[in-house]
Every structure is written in structure tokens, then in C-alpha cells.
Amino acid sequence: MAPQKSVKAKRPNNRYVIDVSAPANDKIFDVAAFEKFLHDRIKVEGRTNNLGERVNITRTDDKIVVEAKIDFSKRYLKYLTKKFLKKNQLRDWLRVVSESKDTYKLKYFNVSNEAEESGDDEEEE
């Protein structure tokens, strides 16, 4: 028999990016407040304020980068982002869209078509 190789447990290294450039450039979104919100609300092992060395949150211009050395769900970041938008009453104008496997982007809802349709209805009456 051949000797078995020892297999080291692979530590997950997740890196997720949330791009908030569109609303931040329009000055309706506070990137620093969002970073603090994530820092306060992300739970590790069922507890908030337990990030330690396992989860790092950094801000570069209009992007938030979350790096986790533990199992971490991208969907959890979407949940927290939507919660922040609702808290700041921005949920009606912004949506969270996945750009790639590890990136979310905040985009505006397309409301121009709805405004044109409502304008047409008023002319007919």
C-alpha cells in the first residue's frame, strides 16, 4: 500500500466587493456610514462585533471590500445592503444587482418609463 498523503483543510478565502459608485457620486449614499453598518452588523459565529482577524472590511473610494477567512455568504452581504437601504429610505430608488461571482453593484431603478406612461394617461382624460 502507498502511504496516504496528509490533506490539510483548505481555509476558505472569500473576497466580495460592493460597488456603490452610482449613488455615492450623486451624494445620496454615505459610503462611510455603510462601512460602519457592515462592521456593526456582520455576525461571525452567531455574534455581532466578533469579526477579529477572520473578516476584514475596507473602503476604497466608492467600493466596499469584504474579505473573509471563514465560510461567508455573498447573499448575506446582499441582505445587509438591502437592510441598510431600507433604514435610510433608499430602498425605493436603489437595487442590489450581482455583477459577477464576487461583486454586487447598487443601481437605480428605471423609473423613466413609468413617468412617461403616467403622463400619457393624463393627456387622454
Side-chain angles (χ1 to χ4, degrees):
M1 265 192 185
Q4 293 184 354
K5 296 180 181 177
S6 63
V7 179
K8 292 184 178 180
K10 183 181 174 186
R11 302 187 110 200
N13 195 7
N14 302 316
R15 183 177 187 270
Y16 300 114
V17 178
I18 303 172
D19 184 6
V20 296
S21 57
N25 289 340
D26 294 338
K27 301 208 182 347
I28 65 166
F29 191 88
D30 187 7
V31 184
F34 181 53
E35 180 185 18
K36 182 177 181 345
F37 178 85
L38 288 177
H39 193 278
D40 293 342
R41 297 292 175 103
I42 289 180
K43 288 186 177 181
V44 176
E45 297 176 359
R47 301 180 68 199
T48 57
N49 294 327
N50 193 21
L51 299 180
E53 294 293 318
R54 296 170 285 195
V55 179
N56 291 327
I57 303 170
T58 55
R59 180 179 73 223
T60 56
D61 295 328
D62 295 333
K63 294 184 181 185
I64 302 287
V65 179
V66 179
E67 294 183 74
K69 295 179 178 142
I70 57 173
D71 284 334
F72 198 81
S73 173
K74 180 181 167 192
R75 181 83 177 119
Y76 184 51
L77 286 178
K78 184 174 185 177
Y79 163 75
L80 289 173
T81 304
K82 288 167 74 173
K83 193 170 187 170
F84 179 79
L85 292 175
K86 184 69 173 176
K87 179 182 171 190
N88 292 308
Q89 300 171 347
L90 296 171
R91 185 79 175 94
D92 295 333
W93 294 280
L94 295 172
R95 62 186 181 143
V96 184
V97 180
S98 177
E99 289 284 302
S100 67
K101 185 179 176 188
D102 60 350
T103 305
Y104 278 123
K105 185 171 187 173
L106 294 184
K107 292 187 174 184
Y108 289 102
F109 281 111
N110 189 4
V111 293
S112 61
N113 292 339
E114 294 174 11
E116 291 173 6
E117 291 173 5
S118 65
D120 293 340
D121 294 340
E122 292 172 2
E123 292 173 5
E124 293 173 4
E125 294 177 3

